[in-house]
């Protein structure tokens, strides 16, 4: 199969798999699935097809590979006219709803690559690029997949009553600020050393040692050129460029906390940002190492203040037994990993800090965070800010810092979610905010007509408003987690209180853990009437909680990597068209609400809806039924571009149950009776609730880290290899393992019981042969279920090909023809291969005589395959196009035909010249120089 591409846009080849049935001529219509490894490739082709840079590569009936796509050197490649994807969200290639994998960016973030390695991509027309829920490629840029224009956001609710204590007001202490810069550190897997730079803000007149709050910024551009409106991911920065000081973007938060008596430090991580694009964990372990490197320095300085930098000495001393870690975007995942690594060390070979742990993490604040592996630090209290207009981590996957902790351990740690309507991703950091930043900065909201998130929408926060609200809730977490002040807990745990210092921000909260007693979980045995237990992650719309073809997104239903079918994640979905039919939920065993003050429900209703009313009743094991009361649930302001299907926490007191003599130790079922005329809801869980902050006991779970192994394929036989799995610590538990097929990119998920000292069987079977093939990557992911902590969540087996590439020859079939016939060459292999063998035919100007022109070839072919018209007439080599030919796997030859047409003109002999190049792994080798001649028909 052949296609063309402009040399100006591609440096190497765009491959299309074609089948060659034998020596007969081919036809010029590749299917829409014309990528190596895709099904239904045509058996024959005619000549040149497609042009990258003029709309892509053609398919059946002129269907084209979407704009900006090509296949180059064995990689699926997408290019953008402007830099994209420099934020925290992972950039993924997808075919339809199927995730093909995380793409590796170029330093300027205009080009993204994903190794094909024989995988089956699927229909060309369904290829797209996604970051979070935002689509990045030209066919759907600035829209979420499936996005439609949404109606105006619902009118705001009445504000919550103010909390008696407002943690966002300025404190009484004087402050000082400064910076330190230490020798850079080397981190495993990173070629360039990473900076040790930070800004310190602390009190100067507070008594005793003060709690320490460390800030870690997220992933953004690292370098910029003054006077230019662009930035890139380089490390170190190029001559003439300056580093972007992202670490200075939290000075407003630091100043407020310092005035309240906290020592604060915000650290720089540009060296990680510029190098984490190809790491399996997106830099989480490196960020953890960097955080702990700084904490180790602070612990040493605490013991020997004279050796501390001046900025540290100027502040009151820090108390390393009370540390709060705050991370934004990928920084959130980094501080989450640091909290785990501080109590359960990672594998030494992967860790950038191996010294003593002379500190204690009391809590984490996670702002618009990533959590790619969905493995939160269960035993450390957390508060997660979910920006309602996040245009970067737009799926709000940070919700998993709550949902993925349920049932994992026995910790009573409180995990809070703070949904901030109208907040975007970037403005929490002033160095990412236009008008405040030193370097070029932008609003990450991509649709300025969105009814909720556009700058004209009444729900959208200004940068100053967003920053003020962020400061308030960071201060609330510090006060609760470090100072133990339970008076601020109602701002974080779904109690429906507001803080005046947060200004006009509309903030909603819910929580898991703390003083909650689990009652009903849809993940366990559950009998349901007038509703259904739905699957959060499935491709089956009949079982899905939210159909993939529907509008809107839910942070609760974020997928785990590329897994299309994840067991063990459910909700209860109910829909009604008339009131009164009770939704009855009966778990497999009775549950206890003894000691609780209220029943707490986390309930999702559609965005922009108001007044979903539910009557709540309980029945105990003896059959006594008691009506508790009524709750009303309103939807969040949302559009199809936002992830606003988010659970509101509602509570109903248990006083009526106590008065009726209901046995709260043996509750058998829960009834939710809709009173609204119609509607729908999703129940995430139900629990007993009582006020107060639970004590968090220090403890560790057995830790699991996946490793990687590289093996050689071999010439014959079958061999079985084990993916390395490291289990440390005490106890046992259950994890999920997802093993991805390297050809289909589909994962198989199973649960495995693990324990310290026990082997975990993750076996991969490798068949040896004597045929050339691509290296195959068998990827494995791990996720905690119960009683475990996951550190390194990704591992796998790389199977290296050890067979030589077949010899490629190109010979003429018909290189001297009369008008109306095709110039044809045969590309032959010395033996078949298990991957397409790729060649490039570069069209060159002829040296003598006239060259074939755009009017000498078939006009439909010219239009459909090159995206060109005949006029103005010009030589075929104009623009330096190239033709690519791929001999498909299992075949030994194909033919390349350039179709000519008959005209009535009397012309001299015309010709074309082509230089053949053969791709061997990632290197182009020069092949023969070809000439084709065309004469008039006699």
């Amino acid at each position: 199969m052949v296609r063309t591409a402009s040399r100006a846009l591609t440096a190497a080849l765009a491959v299309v798999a074609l089948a060659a049935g034998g020596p007969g001529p081919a036809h010029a219509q590749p299917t829409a699935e014309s990528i190596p490894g895709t099904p239904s490739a045509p058996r024959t082709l005619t000549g040149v097809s497609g042009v990258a840079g003029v709309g892509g590569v053609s398919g059946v009936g002129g269907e084209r590979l979407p704009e900006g796509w090509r296949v180059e050197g064995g990689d699926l490649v997408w290019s953008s006219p402007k830099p994209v994807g420099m934020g925290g969200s992972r950039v993924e290639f997808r075919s339809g709803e199927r995730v093909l994998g995380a793409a590796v960016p170029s330093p300027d973030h205009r080009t993204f690559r994903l190794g094909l390695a024989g995988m089956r991509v699927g229909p060309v027309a369904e290829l797209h690029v996604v970051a979070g829920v935002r689509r990045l490629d030209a066919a759907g840029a600035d829209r979420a997949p499936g996005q439609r224009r949404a109606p105006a956001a619902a009118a705001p609710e009445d504000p919550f009553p103010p909390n008696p204590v407002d943690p966002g007001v300025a404190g009484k202490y004087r402050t000082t600020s400064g910076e330190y810069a230490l020798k850079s550190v080397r981190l495993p897997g990173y070629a360039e050393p990473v900076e040790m730079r930070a800004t310190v803000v602390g009190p100067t007149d507070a008594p005793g040692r003060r709690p320490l709050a460390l800030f870690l910024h997220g992933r953004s551009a690292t370098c910029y050129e003054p006077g230019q409106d662009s930035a890139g991911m380089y490390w170190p920065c190029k001559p003439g460029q300056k580093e972007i000081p992202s670490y200075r973007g939290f000075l407003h938060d630091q100043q407020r906390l310092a005035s309240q008596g906290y020592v604060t430090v915000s650290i720089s991580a540009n060296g990680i940002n510029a190098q984490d694009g190809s790491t399996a964990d997106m830099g989480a372990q490196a960020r953890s190492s960097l955080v702990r490197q700084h904490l180790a320095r602070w612990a040493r300085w605490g013991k020997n203040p004279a050796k501390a930098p001046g900025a540290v000495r100027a502040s009151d001393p820090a108390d390393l037994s009370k540390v709060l870690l705050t991370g934004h975007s990928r920084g959130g995942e980094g501080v989450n990993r640091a909290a785990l690594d501080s109590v359960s060390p990672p594998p030494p070979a992967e860790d950038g800090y191996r010294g003593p742990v002379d500190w204690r993490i009391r809590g984490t604040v996670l702002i618009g965070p990533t959590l790619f592996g969905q493995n939160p630090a269960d035993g450390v209290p957390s508060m997660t800010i979910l920006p309602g207009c996040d245009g970067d981590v737009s799926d709000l996957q940070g919700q998993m810092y709550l949902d993925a902790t349920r049932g994992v351990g026995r910790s009573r740690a409180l995990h809070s979610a703070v949904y901030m309507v109208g907040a975007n991703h970037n403005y929490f950091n002033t160095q990412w905010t236009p008008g405040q930043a030193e370097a070029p900065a932008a609003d990450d909201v991509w649709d300025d007509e969105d009814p909720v998130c556009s700058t004209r929408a009444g729900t959208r926060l200004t940068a100053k408003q967003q920053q003020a609200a962020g400061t308030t809730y960071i201060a609330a977490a510090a006060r609760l987690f470090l100072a133990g002040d339970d008076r601020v807990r109602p701002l974080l745990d779904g109690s429906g209180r507001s803080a005046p210092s947060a200004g006009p921000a509309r903030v909603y909260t819910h929580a898991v853990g703390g003083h909650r007693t689990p009652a009903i979980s849809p993940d366990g045995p559950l009998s349901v009437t007038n509703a259904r237990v739905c699957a959060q992650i499935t491709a089956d719309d009949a079982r899905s909680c939210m159909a993939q073809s529907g509008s809107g997104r839910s942070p609760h239903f974020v997928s785990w990597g590329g897994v299309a079918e994840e067991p063990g994640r459910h909700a209860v979905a109910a829909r009604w068209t008339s009131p009164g039919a009770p939704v009855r939920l009966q778990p497999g065993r009775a549950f206890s609400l003894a000691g609780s003050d209220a029943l707490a429900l986390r309930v999702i209703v559609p965005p922009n809806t108001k007044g979903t009313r539910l009557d709540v009743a309980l029945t105990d094991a003896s059959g006594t039924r008691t009506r508790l009361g009524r709750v009303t649930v309103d939807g969040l302001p949302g559009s199809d571009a936002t992830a606003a299907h988010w659970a509101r926490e509602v509570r109903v007191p248990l006083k009526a149950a106590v008065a009726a003599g209901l046995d709260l130790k043996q509750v058998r079922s829960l009834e939710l009776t809709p009173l609204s005329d119609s509607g729908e809801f999703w129940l995430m869980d139900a629990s007993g609730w009582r006020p107060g902050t639970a004590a968090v006991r220090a403890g560790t779970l057995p830790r699991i880290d996946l490793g990687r192994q590289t093996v050689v394929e071999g010439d014959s036989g079958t061999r079985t290899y084990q993916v390395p799995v490291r289990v440390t610590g005490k106890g046992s538990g259950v994890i999920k393992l997802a093993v991805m097929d390297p050809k289909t990119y589909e994962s198989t998920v199973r649960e495995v019981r693990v324990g310290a000292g026990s082997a975990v069987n993750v076996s991969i079977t490798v068949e040896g042969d004597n045929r050339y093939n691509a290296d195959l990557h068998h990827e494995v992911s791990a996720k905690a279920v119960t009683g475990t902590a996951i550190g390194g969540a990704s591992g796998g087996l790389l199977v290296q090909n050890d067979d030589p590439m077949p010899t490629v020859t190109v010979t003429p079939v018909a290189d001297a023809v009369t008008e109306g016939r095709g110039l044809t060459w045969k590309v032959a292999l010395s033996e078949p291969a298990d991957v397409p063998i790729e060649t490039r035919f570069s069209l060159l100007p002829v040296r003598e005589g006239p060259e074939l022109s755009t009017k000498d070839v078939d006009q439909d072919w010219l239009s459909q395959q090159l995206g060109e018209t005949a006029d103005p007439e010009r030589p075929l080599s104009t623009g330096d196009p190239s033709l690519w030919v791929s001999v498909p796997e299992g075949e030994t030859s194909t033919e390349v035909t350039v179709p000519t047409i008959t005209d009535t003109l009397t012309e001299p002999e015309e010709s074309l010249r082509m230089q053949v190049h053969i791709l061997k792994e990632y290197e182009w080798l020069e092949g023969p120089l070809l000439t084709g001649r065309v004469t008039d028909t006699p």
Side-chain angles (χ1 to χ4, degrees):
M1 176 178 299
V2 192
R3 60 168 65 167
T4 66
S6 166
R7 249 184 218 167
L9 289 181
T10 92
L13 106 128
V15 176
V16 182
L18 87 129
H27 301 282
Q29 300 281 342
T31 68
E33 299 189 344
S34 54
I35 291 180
T38 58
S40 305
R43 293 297 298 172
T44 54
L45 290 171
T46 307
V48 186
S49 63
V51 58
V54 194
V57 176
S58 296
V60 172
E63 182 180 12
R64 295 182 176 278
L65 193 69
E67 182 180 352
W69 289 87
R70 64 185 186 274
V71 181
E72 181 176 285
D75 293 341
L76 183 59
V77 180
W78 173 72
S79 296
S80 169
K82 59 183 180 180
V84 295
M86 288 192 189
S89 192
R90 176 170 54 192
V91 175
E92 295 177 339
F93 287 179
R94 297 184 183 181
S95 177
E97 292 296 329
R98 185 162 60 94
V99 177
L100 303 179
V104 177
S106 62
D108 64 1
H109 273 238
R110 294 175 186 265
T111 302
F112 294 80
R113 296 175 175 271
L114 177 66
L116 286 171
M119 74 169 164
R120 301 176 72 83
V121 171
V124 161
E126 296 185 13
L127 283 173
H128 56 281
V129 189
V130 172
V133 299
R134 180 183 178 184
R135 185 166 174 179
L136 300 179
D137 53 313
D142 298 339
R143 290 293 177 94
Q147 179 186 347
R148 301 169 296 175
R149 183 63 59 212
E157 301 176 34
D158 293 335
F160 292 129
N163 195 60
V165 174
D166 186 347
V169 298
K172 63 183 180 181
Y173 300 112
R174 291 191 297 270
T175 65
T176 184
S177 61
E179 295 197 358
Y180 64 77
L182 310 176
K183 183 181 178 181
S184 297
V185 295
R186 289 199 171 273
L187 302 179
Y190 288 71
E192 297 294 336
V194 174
E195 74 273 26
M196 285 284 290
R197 185 180 300 117
T199 182
V200 179
V201 184
T204 60
D205 57 347
R209 291 186 174 271
R210 310 307 302 172
L212 176 68
L214 182 147
F215 289 77
L216 175 61
H217 65 82
R219 186 175 191 264
S220 187
T222 57
C223 307
Y224 76 103
E225 187 173 343
Q228 302 296 316
D229 189 23
S230 63
M233 289 282 200
Y234 303 96
W235 194 255
C237 293
K238 295 181 177 181
Q241 293 183 333
K242 295 181 65 177
E243 290 183 34
I244 296 177
S246 293
Y247 69 102
R248 295 176 183 158
F250 303 106
L251 279 170
H252 58 291
D253 301 314
Q254 292 181 265
Q255 290 284 359
R256 184 58 47 87
L257 289 181
S259 76
Q260 296 173 347
Y262 302 93
V263 177
T264 71
V265 58
S266 180
I267 69 175
S268 180
N270 279 341
I272 295 175
N273 285 351
Q275 301 182 80
D276 70 353
S278 59
T279 59
D281 67 354
M282 303 295 164
Q285 186 63 65
R287 290 182 173 88
S288 166
S289 299
L290 185 65
V291 166
R292 289 177 291 123
Q293 285 277 6
H294 279 272
L295 290 176
R297 301 303 197 280
W298 279 81
R300 295 175 201 165
W301 298 332
K303 297 173 183 178
N304 192 347
K307 293 190 175 181
V312 176
R313 295 195 308 272
S315 172
D316 291 333
D319 181 358
L320 271 293
S321 72
K322 295 180 179 179
V323 176
L324 177 75
L325 300 182
T326 297
H328 182 203
S329 195
R330 288 197 190 182
E333 191 162 3
V335 301
N336 172 75
R337 181 69 68 85
L340 171 64
D341 291 347
S342 294
V343 297
S344 184
E350 300 172 14
D351 194 11
Y353 175 73
R354 304 179 192 177
V357 178
D358 294 326
W359 60 85
R360 183 174 176 186
I361 310 302
R362 299 285 183 161
T364 59
V365 173
L366 315 156
I367 305 170
T370 61
L371 190 60
F372 299 120
Q374 297 190 4
N375 288 295
D378 168 67
V380 179
S382 68
M383 181 200 74
T384 301
I385 295 179
L386 302 174
C389 293
D390 195 319
D392 182 359
V393 188
S394 48
D395 56 4
L396 302 188
Q397 61 188 260
Q399 180 63 40
M400 292 299 106
Y401 284 101
L402 283 75
D403 291 1
T405 64
R406 294 178 305 172
V408 171
R410 297 181 178 180
S411 169
R412 302 298 297 274
L414 179 74
H415 299 288
S416 162
V418 174
Y419 191 105
M420 193 173 292
V421 176
N424 74 355
H425 187 83
N426 287 351
Y427 290 177
F428 291 103
N429 187 318
T430 59
Q431 290 297 328
W432 297 3
T433 304
Q436 299 179 18
E438 175 182 312
D443 183 356
D444 53 280
V445 172
W446 62 88
D447 184 356
D448 205 36
E449 297 180 12
D450 187 90
V452 175
C453 299
S454 75
T455 54
R456 297 183 297 274
T459 45
R460 180 67 192 274
L461 298 176
T462 67
K464 290 289 188 180
Q465 290 169 342
Q466 177 174 328
Q467 289 157 7
T471 297
T472 293
Y473 281 87
I474 293 169
R479 193 156 177 169
L480 182 63
F481 299 154
L482 295 180
D485 189 346
D486 187 67
R487 295 176 299 169
V488 300
R489 173 190 43 77
L491 288 168
L492 304 178
D493 78 338
S495 293
R497 294 292 183 269
S498 64
S501 63
R506 296 167 64 182
V507 177
Y508 303 90
T509 68
H510 68 222
V512 300
H515 274 321
R516 284 166 174 75
T517 302
I520 289 180
S521 169
D523 294 338
L526 186 64
S527 173
V528 176
T529 304
N530 293 324
R532 63 187 179 94
V533 176
C534 60
Q536 294 183 21
I537 308 300
T538 180
D540 182 357
D541 281 354
R543 296 189 299 112
S544 177
C545 293
M546 293 182 67
Q548 295 179 1
S549 57
S551 62
R553 297 291 186 274
S554 174
H556 300 279
F557 306 152
V558 172
S559 63
W560 174 36
V563 174
E565 192 81 28
E566 183 183 353
R569 286 180 62 185
H570 301 91
V572 173
R575 180 176 294 179
W576 64 95
T577 56
S578 60
V583 173
R584 189 168 188 268
L585 302 98
Q586 181 170 321
R589 62 171 61 183
F591 56 92
S592 175
L593 296 173
S596 298
D597 287 6
L599 177 69
L601 309 171
R602 289 199 303 155
V603 182
I604 304 169
V605 296
N608 307 316
T609 60
K610 295 184 73 68
T612 298
R613 292 173 293 131
L614 303 172
D615 207 56
V616 184
L618 295 175
T619 301
D620 67 14
S622 69
T624 300
R625 180 183 182 277
T626 301
R627 178 182 175 274
L628 301 182
R630 180 178 301 174
V631 296
T632 300
V633 189
D634 293 336
L636 300 182
S639 68
D640 287 343
T642 63
H645 284 76
W646 184 78
R648 300 288 301 274
E649 180 163 332
V650 291
R651 299 177 190 151
V652 56
L654 292 172
K655 293 179 180 178
V658 174
L662 190 84
D663 185 359
L664 289 177
K665 293 182 179 180
Q666 292 288 319
V667 183
R668 198 69 191 91
S669 65
L670 166 67
E671 287 182 14
L672 302 175
T673 303
L675 303 178
S676 310
D677 290 339
S678 62
E680 62 181 326
F681 71 76
W682 296 262
L683 177 70
M684 292 302 300
D685 48 41
S687 58
W689 175 90
R690 61 185 174 93
T693 302
V696 180
R697 295 194 301 267
T700 59
L701 299 172
R703 172 175 172 142
I704 291 85
D705 291 273
L706 300 186
R708 295 185 179 274
Q709 183 179 179
T710 300
V711 300
V712 175
E713 173 192 61
D715 293 336
S716 63
T718 299
R719 297 174 178 83
T720 300
Y721 298 94
Q722 293 291 327
V723 175
V725 181
R726 179 179 183 262
V727 183
T728 56
K730 298 179 180 180
S732 63
V734 177
I735 64 172
K736 289 178 187 175
L737 287 174
V739 181
M740 181 178 289
D741 186 303
K743 293 187 177 180
T744 66
Y745 270 46
E746 296 176 354
S747 295
T748 301
V749 181
R750 61 188 173 97
E751 291 191 353
V752 179
R753 176 161 288 278
V754 298
S758 63
V760 180
N761 180 21
V762 187
S763 59
I764 305 292
T765 300
V766 177
E767 295 184 4
D769 60 37
N770 290 306
R771 283 169 54 146
Y772 180 75
N773 199 351
D775 295 343
L776 294 181
H777 298 260
H778 296 264
E779 293 294 320
V780 181
S781 300
K783 185 177 180 178
V785 178
T786 60
T788 53
I790 305 293
S794 61
L797 183 75
L798 171 62
V799 181
Q800 292 181 330
N801 169 72
D802 60 352
D803 300 308
M805 177 178 164
T807 301
V808 181
T809 57
V810 181
T811 56
V813 175
D815 61 352
V817 299
T818 56
E819 292 178 341
R821 297 181 61 194
L823 291 168
T824 304
W825 289 265
K826 180 179 181 179
V827 180
L829 308 181
S830 59
E831 58 184 338
D834 286 338
V835 288
I837 301 299
E838 301 149 8
T839 61
R840 184 179 84 235
F841 290 53
S842 299
L843 274 72
L844 308 175
V846 300
R847 291 179 175 175
E848 296 181 1
E851 180 178 337
L852 278 177
S853 77
T854 52
K855 289 193 175 182
D856 292 322
V857 294
D858 181 82
Q859 302 302 290
D860 288 339
W861 170 83
L862 184 67
S863 173
Q864 294 177 9
Q865 308 304 327
L866 273 68
E868 299 285 354
T869 59
D871 292 318
E873 185 174 11
R874 58 204 177 278
L876 276 182
S877 65
T878 301
D880 297 334
S882 291
L883 321 179
W884 283 269
V885 182
S886 175
V887 181
E889 60 182 278
E891 304 290 342
T892 57
S893 67
T894 189
E895 293 184 353
V896 181
T897 299
V898 178
T900 68
I901 60 174
T902 302
D903 57 35
T904 59
L905 301 175
T906 300
E907 300 172 298
E909 181 182 81
E910 297 168 298
S911 63
L912 61 75
R913 294 173 67 235
M914 296 187 293
Q915 175 65 60
V916 178
H917 300 271
I918 302 164
L919 183 65
K920 184 175 183 181
E921 296 179 350
Y922 293 97
E923 180 183 3
W924 286 106
L925 306 179
E926 191 169 281
L929 181 65
L930 308 177
T931 301
R933 295 180 173 84
V934 180
T935 57
D936 285 349
T937 303

